[in-house]
Amino acid sequence: MQSKTTESLFQTFRDHLDSHHDTRERLIKASRDITNISKKTIFALHRIALEEQDRQVQHPGRNAAIKAYESLSEVKAIYEKLQPELEGDSFWRYERQVSPGLQEYIEALSFAHYLNHGSLITYDQVQETLLDSNGTPYFPLTIADYLLGLSDLTGELMRYAISSITKKGGRERAMSICAFVRRCRSDFERMTPYIRELSKKQAVTTQSLEKIEDAAYTIVLRSSEYELPPDILDDIVAQVIATHSSGRIDLTMD
Amino acid sequence: MDPQLLENLNGLLDKEVDLREKIREQVNELDKKARTMVGLLNKIHSTSPEAIPALLDTVRPHLSGVQSVTLSLSEIIPQNQFWRWKDMWTNSLRTVVFCAALVEYLSTRALLSLPDAAKIIGVREEWSDRIALPVEDYLHALISLVNELSRLAINSVTLGNFEEPLKISQFVKELFAGFSMLNLKNDLLRRRYDSLKYDIKKIEEGQS
């Protein structure tokens, strides 16, 4: 073995490793940016949807969703730029760096979709938002990312249900979210063995579900006790919730 | 979730499980071969220099046997999914490459190059999106080689062969110089590289 060959050999290895690490760092940074955009979008969705309920517009949440789609198009722009680095097999090489941001994006997107349509966004609908101008996916969407993103959605829905339970029509909304989250949970259950992180998220979904169920239960209990018209009941609920700071709803009125 | 979608997703997940099982079968095969070779090569520490070539000849058929596993993997793994499944066989493959590099060093005293290593395990350029030998795995195999040679340097002295540590020392130092050119991140490769200096120290002790 001559030193010269060893040196030039390791030179190529160095270049290779450097470029790999650079790509990795870029993707981690991009994933963080995408997470930030998505988180902000989720906050905005909550905020605007609640405002819309206050103003009693016909389909509260719809405008929020439209604004969310707009801000999520920034995510698309980031993926567009990353496309060359994720082509072919590269996506799989860097999947662990891409996934966190992607799941956050799916969470935000599915929340907007729910507020807009009242339904669960499908796998194809998510993939459709991640296509370049030729209709080619930026990267293959994995079922794991899709499901894990949706699994986080249930937590947002729980927050949404509880914070809007005091608004007009809030109890009805909480009921339908409750049923929706329950369906999500049972749909995901069979897929849990295939996807490592899903079982942990299922546990969180179960907790969220229980919180909504408790809230719904308390409200049913109270409304049967008081036999009040829904409007007045709404006001009572609003009053009680306003004085209540912890996450659990407990409508003790005396 | 729409029942149709649910069914599709479940179908896809079932397929992935089938694929994983098929790969697992091949990886088990690869692992068996790797362990057999490691077992055989372990004898270098107690074999006199004259008997080494014959010992290496017993390893070579197992090395070329790896090619059939590589071929099967190239057929099983879907297009563009090398990195998706690679973790399943990384360890076994590194061991195989380490064995190949050790056989090469003991036969020719030369460093097995990455392309030659790929050739020995039967990886073809046109399969690179399904099965390949990445630089990282090759480097890991080289570190295992240094680990092993530092043991050999000591054990050769025990067997009365005082030439061996000198040869090994020169080879390993050059490899070490090569490794120190790399910008390693704080990962396994880095930690293993850091351990090389103890190997070098061990070899140098064998020389004196």
Side-chain angles (χ1 to χ4, degrees):
Chain A
M1 184 171 66
Q2 285 127 30
S3 347
K4 229 186 195 152
T5 47
T6 315
E7 205 185 308
S8 63
L9 206 61
F10 275 82
Q11 189 97 48
T12 44
F13 296 156
R14 176 167 67 192
D15 295 346
H16 174 94
L17 289 180
D18 285 352
S19 93
H20 161 62
H21 289 138
D22 289 349
T23 306
R24 205 172 156 271
E25 303 268 300
R26 266 197 300 276
L27 291 173
I28 290 173
K29 199 186 160 292
S31 179
R32 234 174 258 151
D33 291 344
I34 289 167
T35 302
N36 276 338
I37 296 169
S38 306
K39 278 207 194 311
K40 275 185 204 150
T41 306
I42 291 169
F43 279 124
L45 277 169
H46 279 293
R47 206 166 45 232
I48 301 169
L50 290 182
E51 271 166 24
E52 284 180 76
Q53 284 172 25
D54 285 338
R55 284 189 285 117
Q56 299 182 23
V57 299
Q58 210 171 12
H59 293 286
R62 192 155 286 179
N63 270 324
I66 289 163
K67 289 213 175 94
Y69 293 143
E70 249 167 61
S71 55
L72 288 178
S73 66
E74 281 178 55
V75 172
K76 191 180 151 88
I78 294 176
Y79 282 128
E80 182 116 30
K81 262 199 284 186
L82 293 178
Q83 191 176 16
E85 314 217 50
L86 295 174
E87 253 172 358
D89 203 14
S90 293
F91 168 75
W92 294 110
R93 180 169 203 183
Y94 300 108
E95 192 199 359
R96 257 164 281 189
Q97 282 74 51
V98 175
S99 273
L102 180 59
Q103 287 175 19
E104 205 71 36
Y105 166 74
I106 293 171
E107 180 184 344
L109 185 70
S110 60
F111 189 23
H113 185 93
Y114 179 83
L115 291 178
N116 198 4
H117 304 283
S119 63
L120 196 64
I121 193 166
T122 65
Y123 174 86
D124 289 337
Q125 283 167 332
V126 176
Q127 179 76 79
E128 271 163 30
T129 68
L130 299 169
L131 301 176
D132 67 11
S133 47
N134 300 322
T136 316
Y138 297 132
F139 48 81
L141 174 66
T142 68
I143 298 175
D145 285 333
Y146 170 67
L147 289 176
L148 292 171
L150 293 186
S151 195
D152 291 334
L153 166 69
T154 58
E156 295 309 326
L157 289 179
M158 179 272 290
R159 241 158 269 152
Y160 181 63
I162 295 207
S163 57
S164 71
I165 213 162
T166 64
K167 316 267 184 202
K168 288 272 179 245
R171 283 166 297 125
E172 200 188 316
R173 190 172 313 113
M175 291 301 192
S176 77
I177 287 177
C178 187
F180 180 82
V181 172
R182 198 176 286 134
R183 269 200 310 278
C184 285
R185 180 170 165 269
S186 61
D187 284 346
F188 298 164
E189 194 58 33
R190 179 181 174 302
M191 299 185 248
T192 305
Y194 299 113
I195 297 161
R196 217 173 302 145
E197 301 105 293
L198 192 59
S199 53
K200 220 186 285 166
K201 295 212 176 183
Q202 277 287 81
V204 178
T205 299
T206 307
Q207 276 176 8
S208 301
L209 182 59
E210 279 172 13
K211 280 183 194 160
I212 312 174
E213 282 172 347
D214 285 353
Y217 165 75
T218 318
I219 282 164
V220 167
L221 216 59
R222 286 293 156 178
S223 47
S224 68
E225 245 170 67
Y226 285 86
E227 280 183 43
L228 296 167
D231 274 5
I232 297 174
L233 197 66
D234 276 341
D235 293 339
I236 295 175
V237 171
Q239 257 179 8
V240 174
I241 297 260
T243 58
H244 197 278
S245 53
S246 87
R248 259 188 131 71
I249 307 291
D250 173 20
L251 298 185
T252 320
M253 285 197 240
D254 35 38
Chain B
M1 213 181 274
D2 174 60
Q4 187 60 43
L5 173 65
L6 198 60
E7 202 178 299
N8 285 349
L9 292 181
N10 278 320
L12 287 171
L13 289 169
D14 283 337
K15 259 194 210 152
E16 275 177 22
V17 170
D18 290 345
L19 186 57
R20 186 176 293 276
E21 270 166 23
K22 273 193 198 154
I23 297 173
R24 171 77 53 213
E25 247 172 62
Q26 294 303 320
V27 172
N28 286 343
E29 217 29 60
L30 188 66
D31 203 38
K32 262 191 254 168
K33 290 184 202 295
R35 282 170 201 280
T36 309
M37 286 191 280
V38 168
L40 288 170
L41 284 169
N42 206 29
K43 293 185 190 154
I44 60 170
H45 299 284
S46 52
T47 304
S48 64
E50 309 82 62
I52 289 278
L55 172 61
L56 298 181
D57 283 341
T58 63
V59 180
R60 287 200 176 90
H62 296 286
L63 258 186
S64 48
V66 168
Q67 297 189 354
S68 65
V69 178
T70 314
L71 179 68
S72 308
L73 283 175
S74 78
E75 284 161 355
I76 298 170
I77 293 159
Q79 225 183 343
N80 282 331
Q81 291 196 4
F82 167 67
W83 286 99
R84 180 176 196 185
W85 306 102
K86 159 182 191 290
D87 284 349
M88 292 179 68
W89 63 79
T90 296
N91 282 329
S92 314
L93 197 70
R94 283 177 188 170
T95 310
V96 170
V97 174
F98 151 70
C99 292
L102 184 59
V103 168
E104 178 70 19
Y105 174 74
L106 293 175
S107 343
T108 67
R109 299 284 163 183
L111 174 67
L112 179 71
S113 73
L114 176 59
D116 285 344
K119 209 181 282 169
I120 288 173
I121 59 174
V123 167
R124 288 195 212 150
E125 189 62 41
E126 64 263 33
W127 299 340
S128 65
D129 65 325
R130 283 161 286 152
I131 182 109
L133 177 57
V135 170
E136 289 85 341
D137 292 332
Y138 171 70
L139 292 174
H140 272 284
L142 294 190
I143 289 180
S144 304
L145 176 68
V146 174
N147 295 155
E148 189 71 11
L149 289 180
S150 77
R151 269 185 70 211
L152 182 62
I154 300 292
N155 291 328
S156 313
V157 173
T158 313
L159 285 179
N161 177 359
F162 298 97
E163 298 284 294
E164 193 62 54
L166 295 172
K167 292 180 196 158
I168 290 177
S169 172
Q170 199 199 341
F171 178 78
V172 164
K173 272 186 185 157
E174 222 163 276
L175 259 187
F176 185 75
F179 269 102
S180 43
M181 287 169 61
L182 304 176
N183 302 316
L184 296 174
K185 294 278 160 182
N186 205 5
D187 55 8
L188 183 62
L189 196 58
R190 171 65 184 266
R191 287 196 292 280
R192 295 195 67 203
Y193 160 74
D194 287 342
S195 74
L196 286 183
K197 53 181 179 287
Y198 300 108
D199 287 329
I200 289 178
K201 196 166 159 255
K202 204 168 161 187
I203 296 166
E204 278 169 355
E205 279 164 4
Q207 281 173 280
S208 55

